[in-house]
Amino acid sequence: MTFSYRALIGFLFFLMICIAGTSTTAAGPSKPLLIYTIDVEGGQATLFVTPAGESLLVDTGWDGHDGRDADRIIAAARDAGLSKINYVFLTHFHQDHIGGIPQLAAKFPIGTFIDHGPNRETDDAGTVKRWKLYQELLATGKYKHIVAKPGDILPVHGAQFTVVVGDGKLLEKPLPGAGQTNSNCQKAKQPPEDHSENEFSQGFAMKFGKFRALDLGDIPFVEEVALTCPVNKIGKIDFFIATHHGLFYSNSLALVHGVAPRVALMENGAKKGGSPAAWDIIKSSPGLEALYQLHWSEEGGAAHNSPAEFLANPDGPDAGNYFKITAHEDGSFDVLNSRTGKTKSYPAK
Ligand SMILES: [Zn+2]
């Protein structure tokens, strides 16, 4: 009798654990994906951390400045609890995107570098110099190296990063669910052509559950239009990192209104990016709920800057504040302004 009583208690205990386990799985929220848009003063450094614990850093900011940009990236990585950055995705080889590589690599472990292939701007001494430093780092054999091309899905676990543009080439087939005719392809005033490394920028669309983000590096207007006209190969986006720091060379009406982001964010500096023409296009995009800026844009002035709550670094002394986006599989997301400590929520639709 004693044995069966114990067996019964044991069985009931087991049952309770099963029920508790089931209810936790059913009711508990799944882990979010994090995006840090790090202030590198008009360059780019954007850190994605997936729920699988893998990280992908888009670009490394500038060199010089006593390692300022590397330090800001490392601070974000530590905030996310990282001890290593798994992937560094280089959009292109300009100083404001790859300058910070040696300083970052000297201070923080990196797994794999992803780029678009060789430097295509071989007549610019500054670009060549920084590309060579990057090649020297790869030659140490300490890092894995991937040359990506449009259509590739990056080997990151926990979210799907699909390369949509790179080395002057575009995604051939629309992303799943995309490919609708874009009604925003009417002729707009074309900015000057740009055949620098910007033209060879690689960029991706990222999918995490129902949440979608887009980062196209510094691709010029012409490529944005080619990606979204006459059919929009990207589809709709929740979170758009404004192309090329929010400069008017990019951020075409066709792209921005075509992907119709809920929230856009300019990685601009006080004196670089945030052009009024680009700001107007983004601000008037259908369905836009907010336009965030890493900095107050001097070029934008009072008429073309977002209200203070959407600015990480308002006019005045620079503190290197950042935004942290917490995205959920149901499509909802929160944006934290590190300056104010306040979070704004964008519920699932
Ligand atoms: Zn740039």
Side-chain angles (χ1 to χ4, degrees), residues 21 41 55 105 120 129 142 175 198-199 214 253 285 297 321 346:
E41 311 292 339
S55 50
R120 301 293 185 188
K129 178 182 155 192
K142 289 184 191 165
L175 293 174
N198 291 333
E199 188 180 15
L214 184 66
L253 188 90
S285 180
S297 156
N321 298 306
Y346 299 88

Side-chain angles (χ1 to χ4, degrees), residues 14-336:
F14 172 75
L15 207 63
M16 278 166 65
I17 287 172
C18 287
I19 291 167
T22 308
S23 64
T24 303
T25 308
S30 56
K31 281 177 83 177
L33 172 133
L34 306 176
I35 307 171
Y36 293 80
T37 63
I38 299 155
D39 176 28
V40 290
E41 311 292 339
Q44 186 171 3
T46 314
L47 179 66
F48 290 74
V49 184
T50 78
E54 292 207 345
S55 50
L56 179 141
L57 173 71
V58 182
D59 295 333
T60 61
W62 304 82
D63 44 1
H65 306 283
D66 290 327
R68 175 199 67 201
D69 293 355
D71 289 346
R72 289 180 181 179
I73 292 165
I74 293 166
R78 296 220 166 103
D79 186 79
L82 302 179
S83 54
K84 177 182 183 177
I85 294 172
N86 299 102
Y87 300 92
V88 173
F89 180 93
L90 301 172
T91 59
H92 64 301
F93 301 122
H94 278 160
Q95 183 186 2
D96 55 327
H97 297 259
I98 71 160
I101 292 176
Q103 292 166 332
L104 180 64
K107 286 186 177 174
F108 206 74
I110 293 169
T112 303
F113 285 96
I114 305 172
D115 61 44
H116 71 65
N119 168 35
R120 301 293 185 188
E121 194 176 346
T122 53
D123 57 353
D124 182 72
T127 304
V128 170
K129 178 182 155 192
R130 283 160 188 99
W131 186 71
K132 280 187 175 162
L133 288 173
Y134 167 50
Q135 297 309 302
E136 284 170 19
L137 202 69
L138 289 180
T140 62
K142 289 184 191 165
Y143 308 98
K144 288 185 184 160
H145 178 213
I146 295 172
V147 176
K149 60 181 189 307
D152 286 355
I153 294 174
L154 302 180
V156 184
H157 294 106
Q160 192 179 77
F161 294 79
T162 306
V163 178
V164 297
V165 62
D167 201 33
K169 299 179 186 74
L170 304 168
L171 191 67
E172 285 179 15
K173 281 189 269 178
L175 293 174
Q180 285 77 18
T181 302
N182 185 353
S183 61
N184 303 286
C185 295
Q186 66 268 39
K187 285 201 166 50
K189 201 177 157 209
Q190 291 258 358
E193 287 191 16
D194 180 353
H195 298 299
S196 70
E197 255 289 309
N198 291 333
E199 188 180 15
F200 302 92
S201 282
Q202 60 177 2
F204 57 73
M206 191 225 64
K207 189 173 183 296
F208 171 60
K210 291 182 179 170
F211 177 80
R212 301 189 68 195
L214 184 66
D215 185 341
L216 300 176
D218 288 1
I219 65 165
F221 189 99
V222 174
E223 280 177 290
E224 290 181 337
V225 173
L227 260 181
T228 49
C229 290
V231 299
N232 175 2
K233 291 180 177 170
I234 306 292
K236 303 292 184 208
I237 290 295
D238 297 294
F239 182 68
F240 172 56
I241 293 175
T243 315
H244 203 175
H245 322 287
L247 280 162
F248 75 99
Y249 302 103
S250 310
N251 300 291
S252 60
L253 188 90
L255 171 79
V256 180
H257 291 213
V259 302
R262 289 184 71 183
V263 166
L265 190 149
M266 283 182 176
E267 296 189 331
N268 66 309
K271 295 179 191 300
K272 182 183 164 195
S275 306
W279 197 93
D280 279 340
I281 286 174
I282 296 171
K283 194 70 186 163
S284 62
S285 180
L288 189 88
E289 294 174 43
L291 169 52
Y292 289 85
Q293 298 170 229
L294 274 180
H295 273 267
W296 162 267
S297 156
E298 290 182 10
E299 189 190 347
H304 292 92
N305 271 287
S306 292
E309 66 173 299
F310 300 100
L311 303 178
N313 299 285
D315 202 11
D318 181 53
N321 298 306
Y322 59 89
F323 294 111
K324 177 183 175 183
I325 293 87
T326 304
H328 303 278
E329 283 187 303
D330 66 0
S332 66
F333 58 104
D334 303 322
V335 181
L336 166 75

